[in-house]
């Protein structure tokens, strides 16, 4: 067991403490992945059968890396561990158990575009305004309900949810939700949320057989990135770990300070409550950071101490020769772009960095434009992380529609795409009549082809299409995924249609389709190489595999480029040099977080994640002004810069700090000094926000933070109106505040 010798003391204890509930709090760069993989290897070497270990991750890439690392210790047994994402593992179980909850084992997995299309159709059927009932917004509302185990019946019975929908002028969402659920059931399909919700249903409704079966199957449960789990995921984990006389052999690994995905439904409550739910939990804290230098690590500690609700830890490093954190102040967002890119050029030249060693992180994707512009001017190769997914490209979705319809003839969303690509003389009206007939009679559109009353050539064209799909289905039964996909590619008309386009774009689409076919072939042959003679190489298995891919699973070319991405996308990554840009109040932290302490806390955790991506060089930047809503907005520097001890920072551009927030900074002798603010006291019980439209020049208004002040002028139009206010407070004199977000009370 030489691998154990490479562990420090807390890592060793976390790996070898195998029985009962274990919580590993892993700070950034502290060897979390090593502990997780070595723990599994240790279990196997201690006599636990590999297929009795369930390891849940958030990306397929993480699961593959986990298995690869375990294999270096225990050999081929690593491949027998049940390691994968929540969605992929539960999809695998549901393929076997789905009939118990009324689904076919060959159910289709609908992606985001499919589900939006279903919602859009339902909105039209109900005669609702598509702008009011935006499919994306409605879909997100349904997703949130499912993630909190709220069925459409429970949704309709919940007064608070119904009132929220009425307030947002979307009172029919509960009816859309009901039809959406029934439509997917009729289509033999599940969306990503259903993979979790139906797994919960399966376990909850079948405690004596299904729960008992999988508790025997999974003697040990491990969950990576536990702080990113939502309510539903945790409930499933508890069902698998706490049932009856279970030994509760569950190990969670995560960091509450990196919980940043509440907008996806993740809740920090899961990790904060774990010790309460599992009474005998052993807690191990991995506090040594092997990634970053001391100034970066200590800055992260400075910032996170401002969050009240957290699991206390003190991250440290033995890398004590690091450079101080640089701060760039710019007069405008354009100047910020120029200064940041100039700094990148200097950093590369002075410290011999490659482009790939550098990342620029921003709070919103819209900020990338200016940095792209200046990177181009300097001829610096860059890439925006998180572009259009390969599997979202039109030509790819066209061919996949035929494959999906082949394995699941009830998939109406795939049928609608396949009917019109390539063109078969089947018009929009015919398709609408077919879909309406199918919905009214409770059958799939493919099954309705022989029954729908149509005239002219339409019946024959539809029957020819149906016969083509039947041919594909028959062929796929006795052939591998690649053989079936190649047959579909050649006989569906997709190949002929795209080969006929000789334009540069057409050539690119054929190249993409060829790459897709290569991927199918790789999937088909991969198991043979691994020696798994009985592995599932069917078209159904392939489609499930690609449906569960995430952005992090996409292989990138090995080019030398500066990476531009949002802070959310950067989690889990690391670079020698990090630039965190746009550090201004109402941008980072976001204005959407200002209404609650929890919101600010999550923004602070997001900043914590951003700065801990840096190994050696960290630069923070902000602009005194930037365009927003067509107007120039004056900015205050983010409170997060103020929360870092000035001894860790090197001011590169006459840094002038913001003048409000939990701490105030001022320039003293060229160094940033912090002084306590003297904010006005406001009686919140008697504070009533006045409508923005009522605010006028000359009025005396009251602000919750700044106190009373006089409105000197109002400029801008409609939703972009900005008030210039002279406040009485010495600490907060004149300010420009956008009325849309101001929350002002008219005093006189």
């Amino acid at each position: 067991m030489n691998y154990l010798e490479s562990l420090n003391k807390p890592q060793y204890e976390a790996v070898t403490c195998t029985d009962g509930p274990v919580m590993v709090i892993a700070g950034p760069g502290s060897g979390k992945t090593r502990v997780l993989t070595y723990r599994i290897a240790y279990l196997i070497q201690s006599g636990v059968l590999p297929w009795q270990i369930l390891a849940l991750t958030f990306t397929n890439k993480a699961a593959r890396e986990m298995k690869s690392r375990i294999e270096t210790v225990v050999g081929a047994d690593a491949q027998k561990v049940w390691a994968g994402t929540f969605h992929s593992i539960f999809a695998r179980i549901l393929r076997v158990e789905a009939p118990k909850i009324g689904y076919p084992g060959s159910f289709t997995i609908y992606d985001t575009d499919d589900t939006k299309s279903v919602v859009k159709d339902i909105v039209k059927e109900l005669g609702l305004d598509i702008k009011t009932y935006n499919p994306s917004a409605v879909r997100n509302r349904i997703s949130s309900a499912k993630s909190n185990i709220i069925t459409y019946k429970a949704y309709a019975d919940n007064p608070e949810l119904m009132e929220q929908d009425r307030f947002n002028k979307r009172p029919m969402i509960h009816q859309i939700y009901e039809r959406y659920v029934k439509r997917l059931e009729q289509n033999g399909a599940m969306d990503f949320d259903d993979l979790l919700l139906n797994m919960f249903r399966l376990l909850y409704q079948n405690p004596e057989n299904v729960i008992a079966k999988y508790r025997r199957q999974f003697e040990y449960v491990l969950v990576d990135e536990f702080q990113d789990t939502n309510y539903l995921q945790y409930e499933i984990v508890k069902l698998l770990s706490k049932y009856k006389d279970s030994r509760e052999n569950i190990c969670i690994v995560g960091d509450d300070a990196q919980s940043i995905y509440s907008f996806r439904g993740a809740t920090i409550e899961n990790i904060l409550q774990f010790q309460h739910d599992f009474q005998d939990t052993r807690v191990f804290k991995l506090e040594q950071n092997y990634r970053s230098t001391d100034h970066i690590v200590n800055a992260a500690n400075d910032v996170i101490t401002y969050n009240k609700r957290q699991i206390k830890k003190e991250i440290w490093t033995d890398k004590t020769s690091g450079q101080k954190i640089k701060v760039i102040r710019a007069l405008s967002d354009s100047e910020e772009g120029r200064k940041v890119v100039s700094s990148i050029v200097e950093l590369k030249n002075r410290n011999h960095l490659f482009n790939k060693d550098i990342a620029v992180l921003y709070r919103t994707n819209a900020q990338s434009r200016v940095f792209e512009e200046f990177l181009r001017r300097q001829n610096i190769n860059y890439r925006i992380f998180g572009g259009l997914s390969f599997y979202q490209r039109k030509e790819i979705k066209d061919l996949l529609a035929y494959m999906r319809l082949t394995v699941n003839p009830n998939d109406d969303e795939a049928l609608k795409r396949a009917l019109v690509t390539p063109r078969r003389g089947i018009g929009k009206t015919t398709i609408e009549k077919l879909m309406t007939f199918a919905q009214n009679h409770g059958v799939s559109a493919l099954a309705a082809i022989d029954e729908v009353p149509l005239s002219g050539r339409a019946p024959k064209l539809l029957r020819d299409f149906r016969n083509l799909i039947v041919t594909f289905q028959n062929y796929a039964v006795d052939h591998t995924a690649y053989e079936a996909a190649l047959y579909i590619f050649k006989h569906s008309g997709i190949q002929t249609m795209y080969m006929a386009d000789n334009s540069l774009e057409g050539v690119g689409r054929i190249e993409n389709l060829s790459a897709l076919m290569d991927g199918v072939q790789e999937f088909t042959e991969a198991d043979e190489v691994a020696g798994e003679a009985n592995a599932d190489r069917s078209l159904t298995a392939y489609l499930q595999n690609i449906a569960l891919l995430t952005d992090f699973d996409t292989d990138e070319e090995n080019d030398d480029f500066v990476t531009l991405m949002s802070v959310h996308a950067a989690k889990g990554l690391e670079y020698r040099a990090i630039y965190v840009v746009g550090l201004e109040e109402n941008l980072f932290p976001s204005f959407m977080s200002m209404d609650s302490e929890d919101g600010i806390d999550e923004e602070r955790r997001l900043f914590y994640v951003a700065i801990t991506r840096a190994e050696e060089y960290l630069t923070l930047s902000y602009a005194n002004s930037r365009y927003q809503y067509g107007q120039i907005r004056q900015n205050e520097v983010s409170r997060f810069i103020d929360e870092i001890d000035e001894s860790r920072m090197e001011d590169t551009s006459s840094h002038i700090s913001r003048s409000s927030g939990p701490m105030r900074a001022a320039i003293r002798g060229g160094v940033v000094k912090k002084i306590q603010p003297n904010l006005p006291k406001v009686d919140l019980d008697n504070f009533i926000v006045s409508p923005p439209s009522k605010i006028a020049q000359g009025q005396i208004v009251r602000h919750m933070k700044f106190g009373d002040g006089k409105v000197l002028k109002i400029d801008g139009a409609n939703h972009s109106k900005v008030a210039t206010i002279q406040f009485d407070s010495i600490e907060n004199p004149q300010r420009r505040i956008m009325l849309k977000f101001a929350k002002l009370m008219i005093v006189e």
Side-chain angles (χ1 to χ4, degrees):
M1 294 189 181
N2 293 333
Y3 64 95
L4 294 178
E5 297 175 0
S6 67
L7 302 174
N8 62 32
K9 184 179 178 181
Q11 290 174 338
Y12 179 88
E13 292 174 343
V15 166
T16 56
C17 178
T18 57
D19 293 331
V22 169
M23 178 165 71
V24 181
I25 301 300
S30 62
K32 169 183 71 72
T33 304
R34 171 181 290 190
V35 167
L36 197 61
T37 54
Y38 283 4
R39 181 180 174 86
I40 295 173
Y42 184 80
L43 285 171
I44 294 173
Q45 290 195 335
S46 299
V48 179
L49 299 174
W51 52 85
Q52 291 184 316
I53 301 171
L54 172 63
L56 296 168
T57 68
F58 277 86
T59 68
N60 292 307
K61 180 180 179 181
R64 288 196 299 269
E65 289 180 352
M66 185 186 300
K67 284 189 174 183
S68 177
R69 291 195 184 194
I70 299 168
E71 193 168 7
T72 63
V73 180
V74 301
D77 277 350
Q79 298 302 320
K80 299 174 185 177
V81 173
W82 279 61
T85 65
F86 283 86
H87 293 91
S88 64
I89 292 293
F90 297 163
R92 182 175 172 184
I93 292 172
L94 286 168
R95 289 290 177 202
V96 177
E97 310 288 356
K100 290 185 174 66
I101 54 173
Y103 274 88
S106 60
F107 60 84
T108 298
I109 300 173
Y110 275 8
D111 65 15
T112 303
D113 286 346
D114 295 325
T115 56
K116 286 180 183 176
S117 178
V118 173
V119 170
K120 187 176 181 179
D121 286 348
I122 294 171
V123 169
K124 288 181 178 179
E125 290 168 13
L126 292 172
L128 302 173
D129 179 27
I130 198 70
K131 292 182 180 178
T132 302
Y133 289 88
N134 177 278
S136 293
V138 174
R139 173 67 188 87
N140 290 341
R141 187 72 167 166
I142 293 172
S143 175
S144 177
K146 289 183 177 181
S147 295
N148 287 284
I149 319 181
I150 300 173
T151 64
Y152 66 82
K153 292 179 181 178
Y155 191 105
D157 291 336
N158 188 307
E160 184 178 349
L161 293 175
M162 297 298 288
E163 178 57 32
Q164 289 174 1
D165 289 344
R166 282 191 291 270
F167 180 80
N168 293 317
K169 300 180 180 179
R170 293 196 288 255
M172 299 291 286
I173 283 184
H174 68 288
Q175 289 194 27
I176 299 173
Y177 185 8
E178 179 177 356
R179 291 198 181 200
Y180 175 83
V181 170
K182 292 180 178 179
R183 186 69 47 84
L184 262 62
E185 288 176 349
Q186 181 179 306
N187 290 358
M190 297 186 195
D191 61 23
F192 274 28
D193 298 306
D194 288 328
L195 295 176
L196 303 181
L197 185 57
N198 285 331
M199 182 66 188
F200 176 81
R201 284 179 56 204
L202 175 69
L203 296 173
Y204 189 78
Q205 295 173 4
N206 300 274
E208 297 303 325
N209 49 13
V210 178
I211 288 185
K213 172 183 176 181
Y214 288 102
R215 275 303 308 130
R216 290 192 299 271
Q217 167 78 47
F218 304 128
E219 287 289 329
Y220 291 84
V221 177
L222 299 91
V223 185
D224 191 14
E225 302 287 7
F226 189 74
Q227 76 281 347
D228 294 337
T229 56
N230 62 27
Y231 175 74
L232 177 54
Q233 287 166 326
Y234 188 28
E235 289 302 307
I236 296 171
V237 168
K238 284 193 284 189
L239 285 175
L240 288 171
S241 306
K242 288 178 68 71
Y243 180 68
K244 287 190 174 180
D245 57 351
S246 167
R247 290 185 293 168
E248 297 187 356
N249 289 332
I250 177 173
C251 172
I252 66 163
V253 182
D255 182 6
D256 59 297
Q258 298 185 64
S259 177
I260 60 173
Y261 293 122
S262 66
F263 68 95
R264 293 182 186 171
T267 172
I268 194 173
E269 298 297 331
N270 289 350
I271 195 166
L272 295 179
Q273 287 291 117
F274 186 81
Q275 288 175 267
H276 177 268
D277 295 333
F278 292 86
Q279 295 291 328
D280 299 321
T281 298
R282 295 282 303 277
V283 179
F284 302 97
K285 296 179 181 179
L286 309 184
E287 296 174 303
Q288 182 175 1
N289 182 302
Y290 293 93
R291 174 191 301 155
S292 307
T293 57
D294 55 345
H295 286 304
I296 296 170
V297 168
N298 290 326
N301 285 333
D302 290 343
V303 170
I304 205 63
T305 56
Y306 282 80
N307 278 11
K308 294 180 181 178
R309 300 177 67 236
Q310 60 173 298
I311 299 171
K312 292 292 184 181
K313 57 186 174 297
E314 187 70 22
I315 307 302
W316 62 278
T317 182
D318 56 11
K319 295 182 177 182
T320 57
S321 59
Q323 293 191 8
K324 287 190 175 184
I325 299 164
K326 291 182 169 59
V327 180
I328 295 175
R329 178 181 67 86
L331 296 176
S332 66
D333 48 353
S334 180
E335 186 181 59
E336 182 188 27
R338 179 181 62 79
K339 284 189 171 184
V340 165
V341 173
S342 295
S343 174
I344 289 173
V345 172
E346 180 183 359
L347 189 67
K348 286 176 58 181
N349 292 337
R350 179 172 294 181
N351 298 291
H352 309 292
L353 269 65
F354 294 103
N355 290 331
K356 63 185 177 182
D357 295 326
I358 303 167
V360 178
L361 309 184
Y362 33 73
R363 181 62 182 84
T364 66
N365 288 314
Q367 292 170 252
S368 71
R369 179 191 61 80
V370 68
F371 300 102
E372 291 184 69
E373 180 179 326
F374 285 100
L375 286 167
R376 287 195 193 103
R377 291 183 187 181
Q378 294 287 350
N379 292 318
I380 296 176
N381 192 22
Y382 72 89
R383 180 173 295 170
I384 296 180
F385 188 94
L388 185 64
S389 166
F390 177 83
Y391 294 98
Q392 296 301 315
R393 295 171 185 169
K394 180 184 182 302
E395 61 274 16
I396 302 301
K397 291 182 77 71
D398 288 341
L399 182 52
L400 288 177
Y402 281 93
M403 297 185 196
R404 285 169 43 183
L405 198 55
T406 297
V407 303
N408 180 8
N410 295 327
D411 189 344
D412 287 353
E413 293 306 306
L415 179 136
K416 285 192 291 185
R417 178 179 283 269
L419 275 174
V420 297
T421 311
R423 298 184 182 277
R424 304 178 184 278
I426 302 173
K428 181 179 179 181
T429 301
T430 297
I431 295 174
E432 288 178 351
K433 287 181 179 178
L434 174 63
M435 301 306 296
T436 300
F437 182 90
Q439 298 305 328
N440 290 341
H441 289 78
V443 297
S444 71
L446 198 68
I449 283 176
D450 283 331
E451 304 297 330
V452 59
L454 296 169
S455 58
R457 298 172 56 242
K460 181 181 185 305
L461 293 173
L462 287 174
R463 284 195 298 271
D464 289 344
F465 176 84
R466 189 267 321 279
N467 293 339
L468 179 67
I469 299 303
V470 171
T471 301
F472 294 164
Q473 291 169 340
N474 293 335
Y475 190 88
V477 170
D478 299 318
H479 293 81
T480 65
Y482 176 70
E483 291 167 340
L486 186 60
Y487 186 87
I488 293 168
F489 183 38
K490 290 180 177 179
H491 293 86
S492 63
I494 294 288
Q495 183 183 42
T496 302
M497 181 185 76
Y498 282 112
M499 286 290 288
D501 184 0
N502 295 321
S503 68
L504 189 61
E505 185 180 9
V507 171
R509 285 177 171 169
I510 282 294
E511 289 175 350
N512 289 336
L513 287 166
S514 297
L516 176 66
M517 296 307 302
D518 290 342
V520 183
Q521 187 170 19
E522 182 178 316
F523 169 84
T524 304
E525 296 177 352
D527 294 323
E528 293 179 359
V529 174
E532 298 184 29
N534 297 320
D536 188 354
R537 304 185 188 92
S538 69
L539 192 60
T540 297
Y542 168 74
L543 290 174
Q544 176 176 313
N545 181 64
I546 64 165
L548 297 167
L549 289 175
T550 68
D551 285 346
F552 289 97
D553 300 315
T554 304
D555 290 329
E556 299 284 358
E557 296 177 8
N558 189 25
D559 293 337
D560 184 31
F561 53 82
V562 172
T563 300
L564 275 63
M565 62 180 145
S566 71
V567 181
H568 282 102
K571 187 169 176 294
L573 305 177
E574 57 188 49
Y575 295 85
R576 288 184 66 187
I578 287 288
Y579 288 79
V580 186
V581 300
L583 281 165
E584 300 133 30
E585 291 289 289
N586 292 315
L587 182 56
F588 198 177
S590 166
F591 70 88
M592 293 185 292
S593 69
M594 295 298 187
D595 290 341
S596 71
E597 186 176 352
D598 287 345
I600 291 294
D601 281 358
E602 176 150 340
E603 290 289 302
R604 187 174 286 110
R605 293 194 295 268
L606 189 60
F607 180 65
Y608 178 89
V609 167
I611 62 179
T612 55
R613 301 308 95 198
E615 297 175 359
E616 300 174 60
Y617 310 100
L618 175 61
T619 303
L620 312 176
S621 76
Y622 68 97
N624 290 139
S625 66
R626 69 177 63 240
Y627 274 99
Q628 188 175 44
Y629 307 110
Q631 303 287 326
I632 290 288
R633 189 193 73 194
Q634 301 300 315
N635 306 314
E636 302 170 11
V637 62
S638 171
R639 69 190 68 194
F640 300 149
I641 291 182
D642 285 351
E643 291 170 357
I644 298 174
D645 191 287
E646 65 269 14
S647 66
R648 317 195 198 289
M649 295 192 290
E650 173 187 333
D651 185 7
T652 64
S653 52
S654 301
H655 169 55
I656 300 175
S657 188
R658 69 191 191 89
S659 56
S660 65
M663 298 289 281
R664 178 179 179 266
I667 298 295
R668 293 186 181 177
V671 180
V672 179
K673 297 290 184 182
K674 298 180 180 179
I675 62 176
Q676 293 290 347
N678 182 22
L679 298 179
K681 303 296 183 182
V682 173
D683 183 359
L684 297 181
D685 291 336
N686 296 315
F687 187 89
I688 301 173
V689 177
S690 301
S693 60
K694 300 295 184 181
I695 307 296
Q697 183 174 328
Q699 289 177 336
I700 302 299
V701 295
R702 182 166 296 157
H703 188 280
M704 285 189 292
K705 184 183 293 184
F706 306 139
D708 290 354
K710 183 177 182 179
V711 180
L712 301 181
K713 67 175 181 177
I714 294 177
D715 49 50
N718 300 326
H719 296 296
S720 300
K721 286 184 178 180
V722 176
T724 300
I725 305 173
Q726 182 72 42
F727 288 101
D728 297 339
S729 168
I730 295 175
E731 300 293 334
N732 302 285
Q734 192 175 113
R735 303 205 158 272
R736 283 173 54 80
I737 303 178
M738 184 166 285
L739 290 180
K740 181 179 180 180
F741 310 116
K743 295 188 176 178
L744 298 170
M745 173 182 171
I746 298 172
V747 178
E748 56 182 77

